[in-house]
Amino acid sequence: MRMFPLTKKGKFAQGLENGRKAATALFEKIHDDRRFLTAFPPELDIVIWAPLSGKASEISIRAKEIFVATVRQNLHLAITTFPKTMLEKTWNINWDQEYVTCLRSCLMKAEHIEWVEHIWQLLDGVIREKY
């Protein structure tokens, strides 16, 4: 707290703001791309999305494949699982299982705002190669 006091427009606040801007920018790119489903806009620095498919089971498989493929490109995402009840009103898919595996990106570093385009290019390249 001494190094980064909680003050408006302070370094800590600027870091949070840049993380949110980065997450919002990445979310917009993903949301506007028909190859993906988005869960909800980021509240802070976490973006949740999944590859588009007609069934929850296929989405889960593809999300895991993309996760592995992005690591090979030095893009380190995470995977997370959501219950059907959280997304069934948002996603018009066949819920052939009670959960779905999604991709997750946490853009918490202030410099992530400068990396959004590079992250997008890596993700886009993986999707083009796989699907």
Side-chain angles (χ1 to χ4, degrees), residues 38-64:
T38 52
F40 35 78
E43 291 183 19
L44 194 53
D45 58 12
I46 297 173
V47 182
I48 307 289
W49 77 96
L52 179 64
S53 189
K55 293 194 220 175
S57 60
E58 291 172 3
I59 290 170
S60 295
I61 290 167
R62 288 182 179 185
K64 291 172 188 172

Side-chain angles (χ1 to χ4, degrees), residues 15-16 18-20 22 45 106-115:
L16 289 176
N18 281 347
R20 178 146 193 324
D45 58 12
C106 186
L107 298 138
M108 62 188 289
K109 294 181 180 178
E111 60 268 21
H112 280 154
I113 189 71
E114 299 164 9
W115 298 358

Side-chain angles (χ1 to χ4, degrees), residues 38-122:
T38 52
F40 35 78
E43 291 183 19
L44 194 53
D45 58 12
I46 297 173
V47 182
I48 307 289
W49 77 96
L52 179 64
S53 189
K55 293 194 220 175
S57 60
E58 291 172 3
I59 290 170
S60 295
I61 290 167
R62 288 182 179 185
K64 291 172 188 172
E65 290 172 348
I66 292 166
F67 172 78
V68 170
T70 56
V71 169
R72 292 188 198 114
Q73 298 298 319
N74 203 27
L75 176 58
H76 300 278
L77 305 174
I79 52 175
T80 187
T81 303
F82 282 94
K84 172 183 172 180
T85 56
M86 283 189 71
L87 298 171
E88 67 184 333
K89 291 181 181 172
T90 306
W91 292 0
N92 185 20
I93 63 168
N94 176 355
W95 286 96
D96 61 335
Q97 59 188 31
E98 292 300 311
Y99 63 90
V100 66
T101 301
C102 300
L103 296 158
R104 178 180 175 270
S105 187
C106 186
L107 298 138
M108 62 188 289
K109 294 181 180 178
E111 60 268 21
H112 280 154
I113 189 71
E114 299 164 9
W115 298 358
V116 170
E117 189 58 36
H118 182 66
I119 291 168
W120 174 250
Q121 292 302 320
L122 291 173

Side-chain angles (χ1 to χ4, degrees), residues 7-33:
T7 58
K8 250 185 180 177
K9 305 292 181 192
K11 282 194 172 213
F12 185 73
Q14 288 173 352
L16 289 176
E17 184 176 332
N18 281 347
R20 178 146 193 324
K21 283 180 182 177
T24 300
L26 182 60
F27 173 83
E28 288 173 4
K29 287 181 176 294
I30 293 167
H31 181 73
D32 292 344
D33 192 302

